Amino acid sequence: MKDGNLDESLSLCRSALTIFEETQNKVFLAGSWDNIGYLHYLKGDLLQSRRDLERTLELARASGSAHMEAVALYNLGDTIAALGDGTEAIQRHREALTIREKAGEKREVLESRNAIAAIDLDEGRVDEAIRAAVETANAARAGRFVEPELRARLVTARALRSNRKLAEAAAELARASAIAATAGDVEKL
């Protein structure tokens, strides 16, 4: 996305924020701050993104919305990972995962597990990343969640490649390609 589009999107989100501040609806305020934080993430302003997402988390908790709290924790985890603190990023993703498991949000649980596996891989915990990604891929497949399965297979392939298991990595990439090629048909079922 071009920076001009990001700047325009930020302007629109700030306008929405102004409206929601008048209503004092904390869920809508949290959602607006989350969008603003994500746009700052896309622009590469990670410190501002973190501040925005910490505000999101504060508002989500004040609103009592467990779903919004999990969204804030997940996005904050991604930003913190991009800032280079894998340990804190995993902690935030695990908090989101716990909330999502309690709420029965199956797809979101898989997304949280994928995020944790990817950070484990980035932090050099290759075997843990492989184990977690394979478990997530299998759970996603069983639940017919195409996108989380695709992501899990890609994390698995990256981890296998970094472990020099090239034939296994190629097999995972082939599975991922097959999933991507049929994704539209599977989602319709």
Side-chain angles (χ1 to χ4, degrees), residues 119-142:
I119 296 167
D120 276 335
L121 178 57
D122 292 341
E123 293 287 306
R125 293 182 292 273
V126 178
D127 291 335
E128 180 64 20
I130 292 169
R131 185 199 58 73
V134 167
E135 285 178 11
T136 302
N138 291 337
R141 184 168 195 77

Side-chain angles (χ1 to χ4, degrees), residues 33 70 153:
W33 278 108
R153 298 237 178 250

